[in-house]
C-alpha cells in the first residue's frame, strides 16, 4: 500500500513481542487483532456515537499520564500466540478547550469548515512502542503544526512515527491521518490489515463521515495514480472512500473522466507512438502479454494484471541456476548444481514434509563429502526454483530451527489461472520473474507513460495524458460516508424513555451551518421545558462552539414548558430546536472561522480552501494557490505579493512626471 501516504493520512517498530513488552497488569484484557470491534467484541455497542465510544473505553486499560498530558487508554491486541506477539492501540482524549489549536485544519481542507468546533477529539494510535509518551507528542502536534505552515503535513504521510493515527470528533466526523503498512516499516501488519482494523472501529462506533488525504505510495509510485489507472478508483476505494474534495479547482466529474480516460487508453494506439523512442516499453508489454491468458487491450488492463501478478509470485523465488550463475563462489556451477540436486532428492524422500537443516545435511553427506559446499548450497537454495520444485526455507516458530520443504511449482498458482493444469514453460517463465523485477517494470511504465512522458510522444491523442494525470494527482481528499447503506436505528424508546432525533437552529445562522441531528433521550414523562434543557446540555457537551447555547423553542410545535413531551410527539420523531448563544464573546465557533473574510479566487477556478499552500495579495487580499502563481513549493512565500489583476491595474496607472 501506500501510505496515507502524507495527510491527515505512520514510530520505530510497531509490533511488540510480549516477552519484550511490559507485563500485562492484573485485570487488563487482551483482544484478538483481527476480531477487535467485530460484533460483540469486546461488547455489543448501542446508543449514540458518544454512548458507543464511552462503552468501548470501559474495556480499555487506563494509562498513567503526567500533568498536562491527554487522558489515555489502551487496548492490547494479540497478533500471534506462537510466538507471542501483540500491538497496543492507544486512545487519547483531547479537550479542545485546552488544545494548542482549537480549529481542525483537516475539516477546513476537506470542505467541513462550516462545522461547529467540537468539544473533544479522540485519537486512535497504533504505536511502535508500548508507552504513551511519544503518542502524546504525536497527538498534541498533529493539528498545531499545520497552523504554522498550511502545506506541511497536509497529506497522509508515510513516516515512521506510528502505523495508524485516526481522529474522531465528538460529533461523529473524523479523519484518517496516517497509516503505515510494510512499505512504511511495519514488520508484522500489512496496510490491508491496518485499514481493516480502522474500518471495524468506525463501523462499530457508527461514525458519520471519515476523510483522508491520499498521498500513499508504492515504492516510488503514487498509488492513487497507479491504482486509479488499474481499477478506476483509489486504493482506499475498497473500504468505501470516494472523491471528497478536489484541489486546484478539480471537480468530481473532471476526476472521473480523467481516471476513465487513463484506464481505457488503448495499447495498440499507445505502443506505436512510444516505440519510436526506445524498445523498452514494447518489450515490457510483450513480456506480460505472454504471461496473461487474456488479451491486454488497455493500459488499465496491463497495470491491473501486473498488480495482481505480483501477489501471486512467490516471495523472493527465482531459478537457482540463474542465481548461482550471477553469484561468485569458490565452487564451479556444475558442482553447486550437483549438490543442489542431491539435496532436492533427499527432500523428495521426505514426502514433502518439513525437514530440519541438520537432518537434510546428514542425509546429503552420504553423497557429497564437501561439507563446505553443502553449507553453501543450503544457505543459498532456500526459496529458489530447482527443477519443478520450489525449495522452501523457514524458521520453526517453536524450536527456532531452520527447516526445509519442497513445493511443486504447479501448486503455486492453483486457483488463479489455468497454468497449473498445463503450459509449464509459461509457468517457469513466470516463476523466474521476481517481485523486484516486476516492480522495476511497473515503475518504468509509470515514469515513461504517466509521469515523465516524452514531449515528442505526447502528441495527438496522447497530449491529454499529462492533463488527465494532473487531475488525478490533484485529487487527494477522499471521504467515506459511513451512514450510506446503514439501516436506520429503531425509533422506539425503551424502559420508559423517549428517543428523539434533534437538531438546532441558532438565530441568524445560515442553514448550511446547522449541526447534524443528535439522538436525545428523555424520560417518557418529561416536559417540554426538560426536553429543551436536555437538548441544550447535549449540544453543549458535543460542541465547544455551543458552550453557552440555550434552547428557546421547538420549531413548528406550539407548546408550553409544562406540556408533556409524549402528548405532542412520538419516540423517534425528528425535531428542530431554536436557540441562542447566552454569551457572545466574539470567539470563533466554526472550524473555518466565523467571519468568512478569507476570499479564495484562484486562476485554477478554486473558490475555497482545499488544504494546498496559498498566498494573499497585499492589495485586494484575495488568496490564490502558490502553484497557480508559479511559486515553487520549495521556495518560501515572498514578503510582498501582488496578484495578476492588481499588478495589471498598477501597470495601467499613468506615470508621474
Amino acid at each position: 500500500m501506500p501510505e496515507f501516504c502524507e495527510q491527515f493520512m505512520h514510530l520505530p517498530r510497531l509490533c511488540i513481542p510480549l516477552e519484550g513488552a511490559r507485563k500485562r497488569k492484573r485485570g487488563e484484557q487482551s483482544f484478538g487483532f483481527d476480531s477487535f470491534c467485530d460484533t460483540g467484541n469486546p461488547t455489543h455497542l448501542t446508543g449514540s456515537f458518544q454512548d458507543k465510544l464511552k462503552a468501548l473505553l470501559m474495556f480499555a486499560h487506563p494509562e498513567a499520564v503526567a500533568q498536562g498530558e491527554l487522558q489515555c487508554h489502551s487496548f492490547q491486541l494479540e497478533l500471534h500466540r506462537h510466538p507471542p506477539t501483540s500491538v497496543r492501540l492507544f486512545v487519547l482524549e483531547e479537550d479542545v478547550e485546552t488544545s494548542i489549536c482549537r480549529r481542525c485544519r483537516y475539516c477546513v481542507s476537506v470542505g467541513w469548515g462550516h462545522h461547529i468546533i467540537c468539544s473533544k477529539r479522540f485519537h486512535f494510535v497504533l504505536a511502535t512502542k508500548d508507552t504513551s509518551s511519544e503518542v502524546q507528542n504525536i497527538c498534541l502536534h498533529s493539528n498545531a503544526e499545520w497552523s504554522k505552515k498550511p502545506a506541511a503535513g497536509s497529506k497522509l504521510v508515510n513516516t515512521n512515527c506510528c502505523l495508524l493515527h485516526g481522529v474522531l470528533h465528538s460529533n461523529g466526523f473524523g479523519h484518517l491521518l496516517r497509516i503505515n503498512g510494510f512499505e512504511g516499516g511495519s514488520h508484522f501488519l500489512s496496510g490491508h490489515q491496518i485499514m481493516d482494523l480502522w474500518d471495524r472501529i468506525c463501523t462499530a462506533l457508527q461514525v458519520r463521515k471519515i476523510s483522508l488525504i491520499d498521498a500513499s505510495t508504492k515504492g516510488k509510485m503514487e498509488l492513487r495514480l497507479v491504482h486509479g489507472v488499474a481499477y478506476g478508483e483509489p486504493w482506499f476505494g475498497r473500504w468505501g472512500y470516494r472523491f471528497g474534495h478536489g484541489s486546484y479547482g478539480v471537480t468530481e466529474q473532471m476526476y472521473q473522466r480523467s481516471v476513465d480516460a487513463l484506464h481505457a487508453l488503448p495499447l495498440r494506439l499507445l505502443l506505436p507512438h512510444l516505440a519510436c523512442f526506445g524498445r523498452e516499453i514494447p518489450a515490457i508489454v510483450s513480456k506480460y502479454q505472454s504471461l496473461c491468458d487474456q488479451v491486454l487491450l488497455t493500459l488499465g488492463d496491463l497495470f491491473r494484471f501486473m498488480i495482481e501478478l505480483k501477489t501471486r509470485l512467490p516471495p523472493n523465488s527465482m531459478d537457482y541456476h540463474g542465481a548461482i550463475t550471477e553469484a561468485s563462489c569458490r565452487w564451479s556451477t556444475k558442482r553447486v548444481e550437483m549438490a543442489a540436486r542431491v539435496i532436492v532428492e533427499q527432500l523428495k524422500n521426505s514426502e514433502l514434509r518439513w525437514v530440519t537443516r541438520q537432518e537434510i545435511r546428514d542425509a546429503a553427506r552420504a553423497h557429497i563429502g564437501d561439507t563446505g559446499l553443502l553449507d553453501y548450497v543450503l544457505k543459498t537454495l532456500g526459496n529458489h526454483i530447482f527443477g519443478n520444485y520450489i525449495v522452501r526455507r523457514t524458521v520453526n516458530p517453536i524450536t527456532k530451527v531452520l527447516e526445509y520443504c519442497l513445493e511443486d511449482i504447479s501448486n503455486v498458482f492453483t486457483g488463479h489461472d489455468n497454468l497449473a493444469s498445463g503450459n509449464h514453460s509459461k509457468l517457469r517463465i513466470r516463476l523466474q520473474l521476481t517481485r523486484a523485477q516486476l516492480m522495476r517494470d511497473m515503475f518504468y511504465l509509470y515514469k515513461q507513460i504517466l509521469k515523465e512522458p516524452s514531449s515528442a510522444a505526447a502528441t495527438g491523442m496522447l497530449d491529454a495524458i499529462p492533463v488527465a494525470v494532473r487531475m488525478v494527482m490533484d485529487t487527494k481528499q477522499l471521504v467515506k460516508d459511513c451512514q450510506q447503506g446503514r439501516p436506520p436505528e429503531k425509533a422506539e424508546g425503551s424502559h420508559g424513555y423517549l428517543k428523539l432525533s434533534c437538531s438546532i437552529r441558532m438565530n441568524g445562522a445560515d442553514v448550511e451551518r446547522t449541526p447534524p441531528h443528535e439522538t436525545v433521550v428523555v424520560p417518557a414523562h418529561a416536559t417540554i421545558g426538560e426536553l429543551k434543557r436536555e437538548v441544550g446540555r447535549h449540544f453543549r457537551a458535543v460542541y465547544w462552539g455551543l458552550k453557552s447555547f440555550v434552547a428557546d423553542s421547538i420549531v413548528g410545535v406550539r407548546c408550553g414548558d409544562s406540556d408533556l413531551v409524549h402528548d405532542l410527539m412520538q419516540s423517534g420523531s425528528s425535531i428542530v430546536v431554536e436557540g441562542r448563544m447566552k454569551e457572545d464573546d466574539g470567539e470563533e465557533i466554526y472550524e473555518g472561522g466565523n467571519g468568512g473574510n478569507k476570499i479564495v479566487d484562484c486562476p485554477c477556478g478554486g473558490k475555497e480552501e482545499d488544504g494546498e499552500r496559498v498566498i494573499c495579495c497585499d492589495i485586494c487580499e484575495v488568496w490564490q494557490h502558490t502553484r497557480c502563481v508559479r511559486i515553487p513549493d520549495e521556495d518560501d512565500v515572498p514578503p510582498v505579493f501582488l496578484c495578476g489583476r492588481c499588478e495589471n491595474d498598477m501597470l495601467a496607472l499613468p506615470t508621474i512626471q
Side-chain angles (χ1 to χ4, degrees), residues 17-159:
L18 289 183
E19 58 264 30
R22 71 179 180 200
K23 294 182 179 180
R24 192 193 315 169
K25 294 184 178 181
R26 182 176 299 177
E28 183 181 0
Q29 293 180 266
S30 180
F31 306 93
F33 181 91
D34 293 327
S35 60
F36 183 71
C37 277
D38 270 343
T39 303
N41 185 10
T43 185
H44 184 69
L45 303 176
T46 59
S48 65
F49 165 76
Q50 297 84 5
D51 294 334
K52 292 183 176 70
L53 184 57
K54 185 183 297 184
L56 178 64
L57 293 180
M58 290 179 64
F59 291 85
H61 170 71
E63 296 283 338
V65 296
Q67 185 176 2
E69 290 186 333
L70 306 182
Q71 184 178 348
C72 183
H73 298 78
S74 68
F75 296 91
Q76 184 169 274
L77 307 182
E78 186 177 70
L79 295 174
H80 310 290
R81 291 191 176 182
H82 303 291
T85 310
S86 72
V87 294
R88 191 165 289 273
L89 173 67
F90 292 94
V91 183
L92 294 94
E93 182 177 335
E94 179 184 3
D95 191 341
V96 173
E97 177 69 33
T98 59
S99 177
I100 299 174
C101 187
R102 288 173 181 165
R103 292 170 55 193
C104 175
R105 54 107 169 182
Y106 307 117
C107 286
V108 175
S109 65
V110 80
W112 297 345
H114 60 281
H115 287 193
I116 299 175
I117 299 175
C118 290
S119 60
K120 293 184 182 297
R121 303 185 189 113
F122 296 90
H123 298 257
F124 289 75
V125 180
L126 270 177
T128 59
K129 294 186 177 180
D130 203 27
T131 62
S132 63
S133 56
E134 291 192 36
V135 178
Q136 291 276 349
N137 187 55
I138 293 170
C139 298
L140 286 172
H141 294 90
S142 62
N143 189 55
E145 289 175 357
W146 180 78
S147 61
K148 302 174 185 176
K149 187 178 179 181
S154 60
K155 310 177 183 80
L156 192 64
V157 186
N158 280 329
T159 66

